[in-house]
């Protein structure tokens, strides 16, 4: 079989090269952002702690959204309709 038959979803070599280049640019951008934060006095440990806390927050938020969804199904309403009842903003 040709090498193209092994490419995911029939992606072309050019599309893969573009994706690699985009990832390299994103990596460079993130490195620059980290350098900026370090120059502002943040430490890598502090940044790691913030990232860890953000992951924890997102997991808790996802669990809350799941519970709201299940409650909405039980009550036969939309999740959006439950927000005021629990003093939640739509942006929460």
């Amino acid at each position: 079989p040709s090498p193209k038959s092994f490419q995911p979803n029939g992606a072309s070599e050019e599309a893969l090269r573009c994706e690699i280049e985009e990832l390299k640019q994103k990596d460079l951008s993130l490195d620059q952002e980290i350098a900026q934060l370090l120059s502002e006095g943040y430490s890598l440990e502090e940044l790691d702690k913030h990232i860890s806390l953000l992951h924890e927050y997102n997991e808790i938020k996802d669990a809350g959204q799941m519970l709201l969804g299940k409650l909405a199904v039980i009550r036969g309403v939309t999740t959006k309709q439950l927000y005021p009842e629990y003093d939640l903003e739509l942006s929460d």
Side-chain angles (χ1 to χ4, degrees):
S2 72
K4 286 194 175 205
S5 66
F6 292 112
Q7 293 177 353
N9 300 325
S12 70
E13 233 177 88
E14 185 61 29
L16 292 174
R17 279 193 202 108
C18 287
E19 186 176 351
I20 289 169
E21 187 57 37
E22 287 173 10
L23 290 171
K24 285 180 181 179
Q25 290 298 319
K26 185 175 181 178
D27 184 49
L28 178 62
S29 175
L30 290 171
D31 285 344
Q32 291 171 343
E33 190 175 338
I34 289 169
Q36 175 67 34
L37 290 168
L38 292 173
S39 73
E40 293 173 5
Y42 293 96
S43 69
L44 287 177
E45 294 79 18
E46 188 176 14
L47 294 173
D48 285 340
K49 180 66 174 172
H50 283 278
I51 290 169
S52 176
L53 289 172
L54 283 171
H55 284 297
E56 184 178 349
Y57 166 80
N58 284 328
E59 289 172 6
I60 293 169
K61 183 178 176 183
D62 289 346
Q65 290 291 335
M66 184 182 69
L67 290 172
L68 275 177
K70 290 182 183 275
L71 183 58
V73 168
I74 291 169
R75 292 187 181 179
V77 298
T78 65
T79 304
K80 183 178 177 180
Q81 290 171 312
L82 293 176
Y83 273 58
E85 184 177 337
Y86 296 97
D87 296 322
L88 299 172
E89 298 291 327
L90 287 176
S91 60
D92 284 343

